[in-house]
């Protein structure tokens, strides 16, 4: 250890005990990388605070020593934002967890940042509410991580992104100051809305420690269908019709056949008797039965907009449909790269074609598959060319983000920028916007200790 490390450790050890400060073999392997699997190093010190005060103590000491800190939540991020350098201190939030309060009259939940999303969802359900944030990583990701990445997910079409469901939050600044902005009111126009600074800031402006979430009434039932389509224009038309004609439309996701076939095979399911260019998954919530969805799909079939449809007859079948959409088979693909981009809905089909052509020019045998939250203009692209090195990763990024730029899209719809997309941020943000972001970072974290090198490219 260097002298500076000795000094920092001595300062921390005066105020935090061995259950909070872990080193060497005590540091869990999961601290190396988020779900992008791009992290290479464990940090030299791993801090596991149980209280907000302990977060503040750790940050104050690191700031005084100008020491880099990486913030870790559930480690399900896909942008490398929580990956540490060997010389970093990690502050991990998993022990700062638990639900503090559910206010049934107001429909709010107050909870600590390290609470796992699924735990919070279950608590809301037990109290008769729906917690509107939901994503495939629900069993591991934390509310703090969801807020820090402004996560999207499968309910955005109905309830918006994480930002739309947060009423208040508490965050600790780099110098240890606790900003408690735990608003519970829907209307509160009292100066700058400070929580917005931290939502989506990916741990670069402060560590989120607590939050107030707006809950929704628990839907009385749901219906799920898989719908086969012959072309992308029909998918756009179907989405419009569903938005206008289906009460309680809560999900509209699309899979290109390259994704659907691979994923359903991985799940051991044969769902349609032949392949179709596109398959959509449609979900309607708040309805006691399937009647409305069945009538709607019948009309769509008669009008020639859809080729086939399957309506889930049980919760098990509904879960199978969603399992195909969540695509666990992809996790087993070697060197998988996940892209998460936004393109105007009408252009998504053309973009996918252009992007695949561009990728195949250089990687003709690549596995390329498209799927996404179509109702939110959000496309995911799964690319695998087998074992990869950093140069290949960068080349694939450059081709894909080049196509995004050409279609005037966003290089990150919901996963954030982190480290992996940092050098392409200029494809989606102007120099003036980047300069303002740097000024905000400087104001909140003048010594640049929080998640250094993440989100903002070097000036
Ligand atoms: C199977 C799977 C499905 C997914 N589906 C979706 C999806 O549909 N939509 C979507 O948006 N994402 C999705 N993701 C990505 C990921 O789950 C989200 O980005 C999630 O919000 C990250 O939460 P986390 O707690 O795991 O954060 P981490 O991965 O630990 O961290 C993510 C970023 O937030 C920062 N951070 C974490 N906690 C805090 C905190 N308390 N305060 C300040 N900064 C913090 C970290 O430094 C890092 O920059 C998926 C991932 C997987 C593996």
């Amino acid at each position: 250890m260097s002298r500076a490390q000795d000094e920092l450790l001595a300062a921390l050890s005066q105020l935090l005990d061995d259950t909070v400060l872990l080193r060497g073999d005590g540091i869990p392997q999961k601290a190396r990388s988020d779900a992008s699997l791009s992290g290479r190093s464990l940090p030299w010190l791993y801090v596991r605070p149980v209280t907000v005060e302990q977060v503040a103590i750790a940050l104050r000491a690191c700031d005084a020593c100008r020491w880099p800190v990486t913030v870790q939540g559930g480690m399900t991020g896909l942008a490398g934002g929580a990956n540490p350098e060997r010389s970093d201190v990690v502050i991990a939030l998993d022990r700062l967890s638990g639900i503090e309060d559910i206010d049934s009259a107001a429909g709010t939940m107050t909870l600590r940042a390290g609470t796992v999303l699924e735990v919070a969802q279950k608590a809301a359900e037990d109290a008769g509410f729906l917690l509107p944030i939901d994503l495939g990583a629900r069993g591991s990701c934390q509310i703090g991580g969801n807020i820090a990445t402004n996560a999207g997910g499968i309910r955005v079409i109905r309830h918006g992104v994480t930002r739309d469901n947060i009423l208040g939050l508490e965050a600790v600044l780099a110098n240890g100051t606790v900003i408690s902005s735990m608003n519970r009111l829907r209307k509160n126009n009292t100066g700058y809305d400070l929580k917005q600074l931290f939502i989506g800031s990916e741990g670069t402006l402060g560590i989120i420690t607590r939050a107030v979430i707006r809950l929704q009434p628990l839907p009385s039932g749901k219906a799920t269908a898989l719908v086969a389509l012959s072309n992308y224009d029909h998918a756009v038309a179907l989405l419009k019709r569903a938005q206008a004609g289906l009460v309680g439309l809560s999900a509209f996701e699309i899979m290109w056949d390259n994704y659907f076939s691979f994923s359903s095979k991985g799940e051991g399911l044969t769902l349609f008797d032949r392949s179709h260019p596109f398959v959509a998954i449609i979900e309607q919530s708040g309805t006691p039965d399937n009647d409305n969805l069945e009538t709607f799909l019948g009309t769509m079939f008669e009008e020639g907009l859809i080729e086939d449809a399957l309506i889930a007859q049980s919760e098990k079948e509904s879960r199978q449909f969603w399992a195909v959409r969540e695509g666990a088979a992809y996790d087993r693909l070697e060197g998988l790269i996940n892209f998460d981009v936004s393109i105007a809905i009408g252009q998504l089909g053309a973009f996918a074609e252009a992007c695949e052509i561009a990728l195949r020019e250089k990687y003709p045998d690549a596995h390329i598959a498209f799927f996404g939250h179509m109702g939110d203009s959000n496309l995911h692209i799964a690319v695998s060319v087998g074992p990869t090195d950093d140069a290949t990763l960068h080349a694939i990024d450059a081709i894909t983000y080049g196509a995004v730029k050409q279609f005037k899209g966003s290089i990150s719809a919901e996963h954030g920028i982190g480290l992996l997309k940092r050098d392409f941020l200029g494809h989606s943000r102007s120099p003036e916007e980047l300069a303002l972001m740097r000024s905000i970072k400087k104001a909140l974290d003048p010594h640049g200790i929080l998640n250094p090198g993440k989100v903002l490219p070097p000036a």
Side-chain angles (χ1 to χ4, degrees):
M1 284 211 312
S2 69
R3 205 164 133 201
Q5 277 170 314
D6 281 339
E7 280 170 17
L8 175 57
L9 188 59
L12 286 167
S13 301
Q14 278 183 5
L15 298 159
L16 303 171
D17 66 31
D18 288 355
T19 62
V20 179
L21 301 176
L22 304 183
R23 287 190 296 147
D25 292 344
I27 298 178
Q29 287 299 319
K30 69 171 184 182
R32 192 183 300 273
S33 181
D34 66 9
S36 69
L37 302 181
S38 56
R40 304 277 182 263
S41 313
L42 285 172
W44 73 276
L45 185 64
Y46 187 82
V47 185
R48 293 193 305 163
V50 182
T51 64
V52 178
E53 181 52 21
Q54 289 177 342
V55 176
I57 287 169
L59 280 177
R60 212 173 292 129
C62 290
D63 196 48
C65 298
R66 314 287 191 257
W67 206 275
V69 171
T70 294
V71 191
Q72 296 191 343
M75 300 302 276
T76 68
L78 292 166
N83 295 350
E85 293 289 329
R86 191 169 295 119
S87 53
D88 284 0
V89 168
V90 157
I91 298 184
L93 275 296
D94 37 355
R95 295 205 306 164
L96 188 66
S97 71
I99 288 142
E100 294 183 350
D101 172 55
I102 295 179
D103 181 336
S104 307
T108 60
M109 176 186 281
T110 304
L111 74 178
R112 297 185 198 109
T115 310
V116 168
L117 174 61
E118 196 168 43
V119 172
Q121 287 175 332
K122 179 80 180 47
E125 214 175 298
D126 290 346
F129 288 98
L130 172 81
L131 195 157
I133 305 162
D134 193 22
L135 44 144
R138 64 183 76 77
S140 310
C141 64
Q142 301 172 2
I143 287 294
N146 299 149
I147 298 173
T149 57
N150 186 26
I154 56 181
R155 293 201 213 283
V156 173
I157 193 170
R158 177 97 175 259
H159 298 292
V161 291
T162 296
R163 185 186 299 285
D164 301 310
N165 297 288
I166 302 300
L167 288 173
L169 59 74
E170 179 182 85
V172 185
L173 300 184
N175 66 7
T177 307
V178 180
I179 304 290
S180 203
S181 201
M182 295 288 282
N183 170 63
R184 290 168 171 235
L185 307 171
R186 285 202 181 185
K187 292 186 163 181
N188 185 353
N189 265 345
T190 48
Y192 301 148
D193 189 355
L194 296 175
K195 68 175 180 290
Q196 302 297 357
L197 278 174
F198 302 99
I199 302 174
S201 68
E202 299 182 58
T204 59
L205 299 181
I207 297 187
I208 298 156
T209 46
R210 293 161 73 222
V212 183
I213 301 182
R214 190 164 84 177
L215 304 175
Q216 298 293 338
L218 198 60
S220 53
K222 75 170 185 197
T224 316
L226 277 184
V227 181
L229 297 134
S230 63
N231 63 65
Y232 184 75
D233 289 345
H234 282 182
V236 176
L238 181 68
L239 170 65
K240 275 196 188 155
R241 296 289 294 273
Q243 283 172 322
L246 269 183
V247 182
L249 176 69
S250 53
F252 192 111
E253 308 270 313
I254 190 151
M255 294 165 269
W256 273 242
D257 182 49
N258 46 28
Y259 184 90
F260 181 77
S261 296
F262 184 81
S263 180
S264 36
K265 196 168 163 207
E267 294 297 323
L269 295 169
T270 307
L271 291 158
F272 292 107
D273 48 18
R274 69 177 175 89
S275 63
H276 300 269
F278 295 88
V279 175
I281 179 163
I282 300 181
E283 194 172 270
Q284 187 188 23
S285 298
T287 48
D289 53 47
N290 287 342
D291 285 359
N292 186 219
L293 186 59
E294 202 169 335
T295 313
F296 170 76
L297 291 175
T299 312
M300 296 301 101
F301 188 74
E302 278 162 24
E303 290 185 18
L305 217 51
I306 66 177
E307 294 194 320
D308 203 350
L310 302 169
I311 298 181
Q313 299 302 317
S314 62
E315 180 58 30
K316 184 179 164 207
E317 244 176 40
S318 167
R319 273 203 302 271
Q320 284 178 338
F321 292 179
W322 277 109
V324 174
R325 162 61 185 84
E326 283 170 6
Y330 278 90
D331 296 342
R332 299 189 284 273
L333 265 188
E334 203 167 3
L336 177 71
I337 312 167
N338 276 303
F339 290 97
D340 154 51
V341 305
S342 253
I343 305 285
I345 285 185
Q347 300 264 293
L348 269 180
F351 167 81
E353 257 173 57
C355 186
E356 181 162 358
I357 289 170
L359 284 165
R360 288 217 185 280
E361 245 172 57
K362 191 151 185 201
Y363 303 100
D365 301 324
H367 182 106
I368 303 170
F370 298 92
F371 62 106
H373 314 291
M374 184 183 167
D376 323 322
S377 312
N378 180 183
L379 187 70
H380 293 304
I381 312 163
V383 183
S384 165
V385 294
T388 32
D389 51 24
D390 285 350
T392 310
L393 285 177
H394 203 268
I396 293 172
D397 281 356
I399 295 170
T400 309
Y401 294 137
V404 173
K405 188 176 181 186
Q406 206 188 324
F407 277 76
K408 298 190 172 31
S410 163
I411 62 161
S412 175
E414 55 177 17
H415 294 164
I417 296 299
L419 194 57
L420 302 183
K421 296 180 214 168
R422 184 196 68 180
D423 295 343
F424 298 96
L425 189 56
H427 281 37
S428 295
R429 293 305 197 118
S430 68
E432 294 76 16
E433 286 177 301
L434 290 177
L436 182 56
M437 287 186 206
R438 287 195 185 96
S439 308
I440 294 170
K441 168 78 176 165
K442 190 95 191 143
L444 270 72
D445 176 17
H447 304 130
I449 65 158
L450 276 171
N451 278 2
K454 313 278 171 59
V455 181
L456 292 170

